[in-house]
């Protein structure tokens, strides 16, 4: 369940909000005059969200490319190309 608090709680209960976002890894939504104003989250939760977003965007781009071309690669072909890129022997 989302935690929704008035923005004044950030000033008055900062330590409690900090503890909450770190323990739960979920954001706290802050309101101003009854309307959504800000979101507070831990750095760890933010970095996870950023990573997930990057992965999703890369997968979406790969799906678009797959629609535009008939070229397909086997897992062996991909592994071979990766090993070549990092300078390892290419035998699989």
């Amino acid at each position: 369940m989302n935690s929704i608090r008035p923005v004044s709680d950030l000033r008055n209960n900062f330590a409690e909000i900090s503890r909450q976002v770190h323990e739960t890894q979920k954001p706290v939504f802050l309101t101003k005059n009854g309307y959504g104003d800000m979101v507070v989250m831990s750095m760890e939760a933010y970095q996870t969200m950023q990573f997930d977003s990057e992965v999703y965007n890369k997968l979406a781009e790969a799906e678009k490319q797959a629609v535009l071309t008939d070229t397909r690669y086997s897992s062996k072909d991909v592994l071979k190309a990766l090993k070549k890129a990092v300078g390892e022997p290419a035998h699989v």
Side-chain angles (χ1 to χ4, degrees), residues 10-23:
L10 190 57
R11 177 183 60 243
N12 301 330
N13 301 304
F14 179 82
E16 179 187 336
I17 292 173
S18 177
R19 179 193 52 75
Q20 180 180 345
V21 298
H22 284 92
E23 285 180 1

Side-chain angles (χ1 to χ4, degrees), residues 82-89:
L82 286 172
K83 285 184 175 186
K84 183 178 179 184
V86 298
E88 289 185 22

